[in-house]
Amino acid sequence: MSDTGLRERKRRRMYQSVSDIAIGLFLEKGFDAVSVAEVAAAAEISKPTLFRYFPSKEDLVLHRFADHETEAARVVEEGRAAGRSPIDALREHFLDGLRREDPVTGLNEHPGILAFHRLLYGTPSLVARMYGYLERSEAALADALAKPLGAGLDARLAAGQITAVRRILAEENLRRIAEGERVAAVRPDAVAAAERAFAQLAAGFPGLARSAHSGTARPTPEMHPG
């Protein structure tokens, strides 16, 4: 392995380790009750070193979302290379997340995941910083959609609606799990809701439902009430 590759692995391990330590403290004592100095001490690093990795206290938590920030854009680009339409690629990706119980889909009942979500959505400063993440994710997706739609307002509108659909689907799954329902009970409804939502997106943005190779819109799944 090259020195560059080794340094990158060490950097990633440091990010993950410090973030895990911080989140553990926040879950134990509450976000506002834990200082950055306390996190640095627990991680056995200095405050200046901590701030080199995490510019703000909130970033210690939101680091877990860092790899997902450009995920939708990446899914669209990879789907295009494989000849799939943007809507097909995003739909398949979300359904695969439900099958894998990816926490990003909200369909996960692990106690640690539920505790993390309570921390995230129960802390105003973290919720506020999440908007920045959503804006950057949406902007990256708009760039990826510029090829079929053209750069400008149409791509931004589509990216905004797709981002909202993914977020609302995940929030509904999370709400039901947090209220005590089991994943096995929620999953059929989550799959059906995702199918309906992406069918509606395909109907609203037919240019995004066209295969990259065929140039024709693929049929959307039959929509059932409820």
Side-chain angles (χ1 to χ4, degrees):
M1 179 181 296
S2 68
D3 289 344
T4 301
L6 182 59
R7 284 196 298 271
E8 178 61 19
R9 287 186 62 186
K10 287 174 130 180
R11 186 182 70 84
R12 287 181 174 271
R13 281 199 299 268
M14 173 65 83
Y15 269 110
Q16 192 63 50
S17 174
V18 176
S19 177
D20 287 347
I21 289 169
I23 289 170
L25 289 170
F26 297 151
L27 290 174
E28 178 186 354
K29 302 180 180 181
F31 183 80
D32 294 327
V34 178
S35 67
V36 171
E38 188 174 351
V39 174
E44 299 183 339
I45 58 176
S46 68
K47 277 181 64 176
T49 297
L50 186 148
F51 279 123
R52 280 203 299 271
Y53 286 91
F54 301 95
S56 75
K57 183 179 175 183
E58 287 77 14
D59 289 326
L60 287 159
V61 176
L62 296 177
H63 168 69
R64 289 194 176 183
F65 291 90
D67 291 339
H68 295 282
E69 191 167 288
T70 59
E71 184 174 66
R74 175 181 55 77
V75 168
V76 168
E77 295 289 1
E78 291 176 354
R80 180 179 295 125
R84 293 196 300 275
S85 74
I87 296 297
D88 277 344
L90 290 164
R91 169 185 164 276
E92 290 167 12
H93 180 261
F94 194 87
L95 292 174
D96 180 61
L98 293 176
R99 284 190 291 270
R100 293 184 289 105
E101 298 179 18
D102 187 335
V104 171
T105 68
L107 194 69
N108 189 295
E109 60 191 4
H110 188 282
I113 298 297
L114 294 177
F116 175 79
H117 280 128
R118 285 194 296 271
L119 169 69
L120 177 62
Y121 293 108
T123 307
S125 62
L126 291 174
V127 172
R129 285 298 294 270
M130 273 289 291
Y131 280 108
Y133 156 79
L134 290 172
E135 287 175 353
R136 291 188 297 274
S137 179
E138 187 178 302
L141 179 56
D143 287 343
L145 297 177
K147 185 171 183 180
L149 294 179
L153 184 59
D154 286 349
R156 290 174 57 199
L157 287 170
Q161 292 191 45
I162 291 168
T163 300
V165 161
R166 286 157 48 96
R167 175 180 58 80
I168 292 168
L169 289 172
E171 286 178 353
E172 175 62 12
N173 296 336
L174 177 60
R175 178 191 66 79
R176 292 180 61 180
I177 297 294
E179 290 178 355
E181 294 189 62
R182 304 305 300 269
V183 162
V186 176
R187 181 180 284 111
D189 290 341
V191 169
E195 293 279 22
R196 289 197 305 274
F198 281 98
Q200 290 165 1
L201 285 170
F205 296 97
L208 298 182
R210 295 191 180 96
S211 164
H213 290 170
S214 70
T216 58
R218 296 187 179 186
T220 56
E222 182 180 355
M223 294 175 61
H224 300 280

